[in-house]
């Protein structure tokens, strides 16, 4: 039986999901969170479906052992596999990343929308389909950005390589007159400022993390599983490079007291 005192699990291929944990932590201050980043095997974006399915199943089994009430799949590459297909025998609730389709359509004047995501996510066409399902006349330009995740995981903030990659991908949007961009990889909010600066003030950049956190809250409310009292704890687990992971966690969540643990996935 699930109960409100159980923790919430949050997972990603690496540090990206910390951008979602940040919103969840603010929206749900009394909840205990266990974050799991598979830093030993990141990035997932260039991998095959079978492989990422096996990896996410290992992470979900880890959360079975941790006796969580909800898992937030804070990774678009895993969300596009279909959250229902991941749920299987697991008892906890499961929620994936919001595709942000209504958010981008509401923000876009010209209905000329860009999507930045991993090769895997872009390959499924999931975000384009979600936007077109609401507005068939919208124009959607999906761009795979394979250079971003290794640079972010490698803490290359402010480096010439990162600047070049930002210019390479944002130029593709500029030539097509895109006026709204959705960040459909949870790593990209780490470099949201750089992307915004490169695109200029006329382009709105949207991060669907907050909408994802709201969806998580709705699931807990519907199931009467919201923990309302006390100060929640935050535990962050990585499968490799604990020191690097904790530096990136402090960068994304500077005011949050976290404990860190290196774990092995079976
Ligand atoms: N942060 C992930 C996402 O939202 C995955 C990035 C990767 O491992 O390639 O897609």
């Amino acid at each position: 039986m699930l109960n409100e005192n159980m923790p919430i699990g949050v997972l990603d291929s690496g540090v990206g999901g910390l951008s979602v944990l940040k919103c969840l932590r603010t929206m749900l201050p009394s909840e205990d969170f266990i974050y799991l980043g598979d830093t030993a095997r990141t990035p997932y974006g260039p991998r095959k479906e079978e492989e990422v399915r096996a990896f996410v199943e290992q992470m979900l089994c880890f959360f079975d052992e941790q006796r969580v009430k909800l898992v937030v799949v804070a990774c678009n590459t895993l969300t596009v596999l279909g959250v229902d297909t991941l749920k299987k025998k697991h008892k906890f609730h499961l929620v994936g990343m919001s595709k942000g389709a209504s958010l981008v359509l509401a923000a876009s004047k010209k209905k000329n929308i860009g999507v930045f995501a991993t090769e895997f996510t872009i390959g499924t066409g999931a975000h384009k389909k979600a936007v077109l399902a609401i507005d068939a006349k919208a124009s959607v330009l999906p761009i795979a950005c394979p250079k971003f995740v290794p640079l972010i995981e490698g803490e290359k903030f402010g480096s010439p390589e990162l600047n070049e990659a930002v210019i390479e991908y944002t130029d593709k949007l500029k030539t097509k007159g895109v006026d709204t961009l959705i960040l459909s990889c949870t790593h990209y909010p780490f470099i949201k400022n750089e992307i915004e600066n490169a695109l200029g003030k006329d382009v709105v950049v949207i991060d669907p993390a907050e909408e994802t956190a709201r969806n998580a809250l709705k699931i807990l409310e519907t199931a009467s599983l919201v923990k309302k009292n006390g100060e929640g704890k935050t535990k962050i687990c990585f499968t490799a490079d604990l020191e690097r992971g904790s530096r990136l966690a402090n960068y994304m969540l500077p005011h949050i007291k976290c404990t860190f643990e290196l774990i092995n996935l079976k």
Side-chain angles (χ1 to χ4, degrees):
M1 263 294 268
L2 303 178
N3 70 64
E4 63 184 46
N5 292 321
M6 290 172 145
I8 298 173
V10 181
L11 65 81
D12 180 47
S13 67
V15 299
L18 294 166
S19 61
V20 183
L21 178 61
K22 185 179 184 173
C23 292
L24 287 161
R25 185 67 290 170
T26 310
M27 209 172 283
L28 298 160
S30 296
E31 300 286 352
D32 294 328
F33 285 97
I34 302 174
Y35 180 89
L36 173 56
D38 191 8
T39 39
R41 301 184 292 201
T42 194
Y44 282 8
R47 293 179 188 272
K48 295 267 174 297
E49 174 168 347
E50 268 165 38
E51 197 174 24
V52 288
R53 274 197 189 274
F55 292 170
V56 68
E57 187 48 34
Q58 289 177 340
M59 288 200 261
L60 294 175
C61 289
F62 166 82
F63 283 124
D64 272 331
E65 286 164 17
Q66 301 294 313
R67 300 180 46 76
V68 300
K69 58 185 173 185
L70 167 73
V71 170
V72 181
V73 180
C75 175
N76 291 270
T77 304
L78 297 174
T79 298
V80 294
L81 294 173
V83 167
D84 291 348
T85 71
L86 303 179
K87 175 89 174 69
K88 290 196 257 172
K89 60 186 188 302
H90 303 289
K91 291 194 181 66
F92 44 68
H93 294 272
L94 201 62
V95 63
M97 285 304 296
S98 153
K99 296 202 177 57
S102 332
L103 288 177
V104 272
L105 282 165
S108 174
K109 289 197 184 82
K110 297 195 278 177
K111 308 296 173 214
N112 196 356
I113 291 157
V115 180
F116 273 2
T118 65
E119 312 89 299
F120 191 97
T121 302
I122 295 295
T124 66
H127 293 79
K128 182 168 180 169
K129 278 181 220 150
V131 173
L132 296 181
I134 303 176
D135 183 346
K137 290 202 189 97
S139 154
V140 184
L141 181 63
I143 309 274
C145 309
K147 292 182 184 164
F148 280 162
V149 170
L151 289 167
I152 293 163
E153 289 282 341
E155 304 173 273
K156 300 283 185 207
F157 306 111
S159 68
E161 303 100 284
L162 181 63
N163 291 341
E164 276 163 33
V166 169
I167 290 166
E168 177 185 333
Y169 300 135
T170 52
D171 275 356
K172 295 188 185 181
L173 301 180
K174 283 180 176 172
T175 53
K176 297 281 187 229
V178 160
D179 74 347
T180 312
L181 169 68
I182 179 135
L183 301 181
S184 299
C185 169
T186 54
H187 279 77
Y188 303 170
F190 275 87
I191 53 164
K192 188 168 183 245
N193 287 343
E194 287 84 341
I195 294 172
E196 279 174 337
N197 290 341
L199 287 171
K201 60 174 176 31
D202 295 334
V203 180
V204 183
V205 179
I206 299 210
D207 171 8
E210 207 176 300
E211 188 167 82
T212 303
R214 273 198 299 274
N215 292 342
L217 173 59
K218 260 184 241 157
I219 288 177
L220 292 178
E221 280 172 347
T222 308
S224 304
L225 284 173
V226 182
K227 185 168 176 243
K228 297 194 180 83
N229 301 310
E231 195 189 327
K233 296 188 199 72
T234 309
K235 181 160 118 180
I236 300 191
C237 306
F238 291 116
T239 53
D241 299 334
L242 195 60
E243 226 180 282
R244 176 176 65 81
S246 50
R247 271 198 307 274
L248 284 159
N250 290 325
Y251 179 86
M252 185 46 81
L253 312 164
H255 306 297
I256 295 169
K257 207 168 99 198
C258 306
T259 55
F260 295 94
E261 199 177 312
L262 187 67
I263 64 132
N264 273 317
L265 282 175
K266 293 185 269 303

